[in-house]
Amino acid sequence: MELLLIRHGLPIRRELTEGIADPELAPDGRAQAALLGEYLSGEHLDAVYASSLKRAQQTAEPVVAGRGLELLIEPDVAEFDKDSSEYVPVEELKAANDPRWKAMVAGEMEGMEDHELFATRTIAGVNRIIDAHRGDRVAVVCHGGVINAYLSHLLGLESGLRGFFYPNYTSIHRVAAASSGERSIVTVNETSHLRGSGLPMGLFQKG
């Protein structure tokens, strides 16, 4: 089967004193998601999944639109900060040299899930989707940390190596998954749908 792991679009900044932040997409994020939906409209998809977080589900909406498919929710592909009371786009943290940026890279940010538990959870969630869709092409809209964890796993990197590369907003990462258990990374950071848009792509680029 062909698996498309897709990072969500740009969310808003939300910092709460209590409760779970779970931000929705910013206007630029919705524009990114619309372009993603257009880009994938020419590809057949047998199923579309999203994590339990708003930013992933809102990004998935244009992907599933018009296909006659139900958007499926897989809680185990939610990000390591799913229970955090704050969400600040990583680009803002890095640009401001915010101490939370260093804490996040080190895996010590408040509200962040343990490295090993996160990797175990997300890898199991992705593999469950693969097992349920043999021979299909399936899109999973998730998060940068999830994509890092799964590709790290395929490459044999240590599970605690969070952020070994940076998935751009609405980037597509394709994996070929054989029923025999073999996995092949086909593309990484596929973002041609953002080229020329002027929309933010990630840490260093605009479309």
Side-chain angles (χ1 to χ4, degrees):
M1 64 93 73
E2 183 180 358
L3 176 72
L4 282 66
L5 294 175
I6 303 171
R7 190 187 176 198
H8 59 79
L10 174 68
I12 64 170
R13 177 174 181 146
R14 175 168 291 153
E15 296 168 279
L16 307 176
T17 55
E18 58 182 28
I20 298 174
D22 192 15
E24 60 269 21
L25 291 181
D28 278 353
R30 289 190 176 276
Q32 292 164 340
L35 290 173
L36 171 70
E38 292 175 13
Y39 179 71
L40 289 176
S41 63
E43 295 190 37
H44 174 77
L45 294 174
D46 295 286
V48 179
Y49 285 79
S51 85
S52 53
L53 299 178
K54 290 176 184 174
R55 58 191 185 269
Q57 293 178 31
Q58 291 176 349
T59 302
E61 287 170 0
V63 176
V64 78
R67 293 182 182 272
L69 297 174
E70 176 187 358
L71 178 60
L72 304 172
I73 304 303
E74 174 48 74
D76 280 345
V77 296
E79 188 62 294
F80 51 74
D81 63 353
K82 62 185 177 65
D83 297 322
S84 178
S85 61
E86 61 181 27
Y87 183 94
V88 182
V90 65
E91 300 80 20
E92 293 185 30
L93 293 177
K94 184 172 175 61
N97 199 27
D98 192 302
R100 288 174 292 183
W101 160 255
K102 296 177 182 178
M104 183 176 67
V105 172
E108 300 168 351
M109 191 172 180
E110 186 177 349
M112 184 179 291
E113 191 173 358
D114 173 79
H115 282 308
E116 294 294 338
L117 292 177
F118 172 71
T120 299
R121 168 174 67 80
T122 56
I123 292 167
V126 173
N127 284 336
R128 210 163 38 244
I129 293 171
I130 291 172
D131 290 342
H133 292 280
R134 293 191 176 188
D136 290 344
R137 180 185 291 128
V138 177
V140 180
V141 183
C142 53
H143 307 267
V146 174
I147 296 166
N148 266 277
Y150 195 70
L151 296 191
S152 293
H153 168 65
L154 297 188
L155 292 169
L157 303 176
E158 58 181 283
S159 62
L161 190 62
R162 185 170 285 164
F164 83 99
F165 83 103
Y166 184 89
N168 286 321
Y169 290 118
T170 65
S171 57
I172 303 167
H173 311 258
R174 299 178 190 257
V175 175
S179 57
S180 61
E182 296 174 349
R183 304 286 186 266
S184 301
I185 298 173
V186 180
T187 68
V188 172
N189 254 341
E190 190 178 324
T191 50
S192 58
H193 54 285
L194 297 181
R195 299 292 179 187
S197 69
L199 293 168
M201 292 174 65
L203 284 173
F204 306 110
Q205 297 172 301
K206 285 193 175 183

